[in-house]
């Protein structure tokens, strides 16, 4: 189950938790059997508060993004697929641990900041939601380097994005300052400056 997405509502999952919801399983099996699907697949549903029904978002005949969390819960899907291909006995899948969490730190921080601006999540609420034992994507104590490399690249991308936005804002400010110092058409330019400032003011938080 996805707790938060980044960006909120429409983005990819950044905070997951294992759960057991029989209604989801029943709907997914009905869909898979209706299309004659064989092998591994995952279906994603969203609860519609308007009518209290589950609505299909997507279905993919592949591993899920949170596969490492599924493995930690007790379902080794890669081993299941491999054994089925080579004809070996399938691994037992009798136990399923609920309440395990997968956390993408940078993406979840971005989701929290947007939700806080919207008034949908407070700092206390966000910290309380994180007060659980979590797994990080790719991370293993026995081999931490892949996780460090991936997260450092994401951090650099986020920093570069901030610097690009800051550069655009500074460039826009210099243009307005240049227009303000021009002695020509002062009345018209003053009106133009107010309009530009209003546009910059409304678009800056979104960018």
């Amino acid at each position: 189950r996805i707790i938060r997405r980044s960006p909120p509502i429409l983005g990819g999952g950044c905070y997951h938790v294992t759960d057991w919801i029989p209604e989801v399983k029943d709907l997914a099996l009905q869909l898979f059997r209706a299309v004659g699907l064989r092998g591994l697949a995952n279906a994603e549903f969203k609860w519609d508060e308007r009518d209290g029904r589950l609505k299909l978002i997507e279905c993919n005949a592949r591993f899920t993004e949170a596969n490492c969390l599924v493995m930690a819960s007790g379902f080794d899907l890669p081993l299941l697929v491999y054994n089925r291909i080579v004809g070996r006995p399938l691994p037992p899948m009798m136990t399923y641990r609920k309440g395990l969490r997968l956390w993408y730190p940078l993406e979840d921080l971005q989701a929290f900041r947007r939700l806080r601006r919207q008034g949908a999540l407070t700092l206390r609420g966000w910290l309380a939601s994180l007060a659980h034992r979590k797994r990080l994507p790719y991370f293993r104590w026995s081999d931490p380097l892949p996780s460090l490399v991936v997260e450092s690249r994401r951090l650099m991308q986020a920093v570069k994005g901030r610097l690009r936005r800051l550069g655009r804002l500074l460039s826009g400010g210099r243009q307005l300052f240049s227009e303000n110092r021009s002695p020509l058409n002062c009345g018209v330019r003053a009106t133009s400056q107010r309009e530009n400032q209003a546009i910059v003011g409304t678009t800056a938080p979104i960018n």
Side-chain angles (χ1 to χ4, degrees):
R1 179 167 54 87
I2 295 177
I3 299 176
R4 275 189 295 274
R5 295 178 177 272
S6 181
I9 301 177
L10 299 176
C14 57
Y15 197 18
H16 306 251
V17 61
T18 56
D19 204 348
W20 177 252
I21 306 175
E23 296 83 357
V24 174
K25 180 204 69 173
D26 295 339
L27 287 174
L29 284 176
Q30 182 181 350
L31 172 63
F32 297 158
R33 289 166 178 164
V35 300
L37 187 143
R38 297 182 61 188
L40 183 70
N42 68 82
E44 186 174 350
F45 297 84
K46 188 173 183 65
W47 180 267
D48 192 337
E49 296 180 349
R50 297 170 299 181
D51 56 12
R53 301 178 63 183
L54 290 167
K55 305 296 178 64
L56 178 67
I57 296 180
E58 64 174 349
C59 174
N60 298 298
R62 57 169 172 76
F63 294 105
T64 177
E65 179 188 7
N67 185 62
C68 61
L69 187 63
V70 177
M71 291 179 60
S73 72
F75 285 7
D76 193 339
L77 299 182
L79 182 60
L80 172 71
V81 172
Y82 176 81
N83 285 5
R84 183 171 180 176
I85 291 174
V86 301
R88 298 180 60 182
L90 301 182
M93 303 178 69
M94 303 300 296
T95 59
Y96 178 75
R97 297 174 59 191
K98 297 191 298 182
L100 302 182
R101 295 170 184 251
L102 176 66
W103 185 46
Y104 291 79
L106 292 178
E107 289 80 356
D108 194 49
L109 176 60
Q110 293 171 351
F112 158 67
R113 295 180 62 185
R114 292 196 179 198
L115 291 170
R116 185 175 63 173
R117 287 198 297 264
Q118 298 169 6
L121 183 62
T122 64
L123 175 61
R124 177 178 293 183
W126 181 61
L127 294 176
S129 72
L130 300 179
H132 303 272
R133 187 175 181 179
K134 299 174 290 296
R135 300 177 66 89
L136 297 175
Y138 318 111
F139 183 79
R140 295 293 183 275
W141 285 111
S142 58
D143 187 16
L145 187 57
S147 181
L148 295 176
V149 170
V150 170
E151 292 304 323
S152 63
R153 288 176 178 174
R154 291 182 177 181
L155 178 60
M156 289 302 298
Q157 291 175 355
V159 171
K160 289 179 180 178
R162 290 287 182 180
L163 292 177
R164 284 194 297 267
R165 287 192 289 271
L166 179 60
R168 289 196 296 267
L169 289 175
L170 292 177
S171 177
R174 286 195 297 268
Q175 181 179 0
L176 291 176
F177 179 75
S178 176
E179 291 180 356
N180 188 43
R181 292 175 60 87
S182 175
L184 301 177
N185 299 327
C186 293
V188 175
R189 289 182 181 274
T191 303
S192 175
Q193 288 161 16
R194 285 197 295 270
E195 292 175 353
N196 288 336
Q197 288 171 354
I199 295 173
V200 171
T202 57
T203 58
I206 299 175
N207 292 335

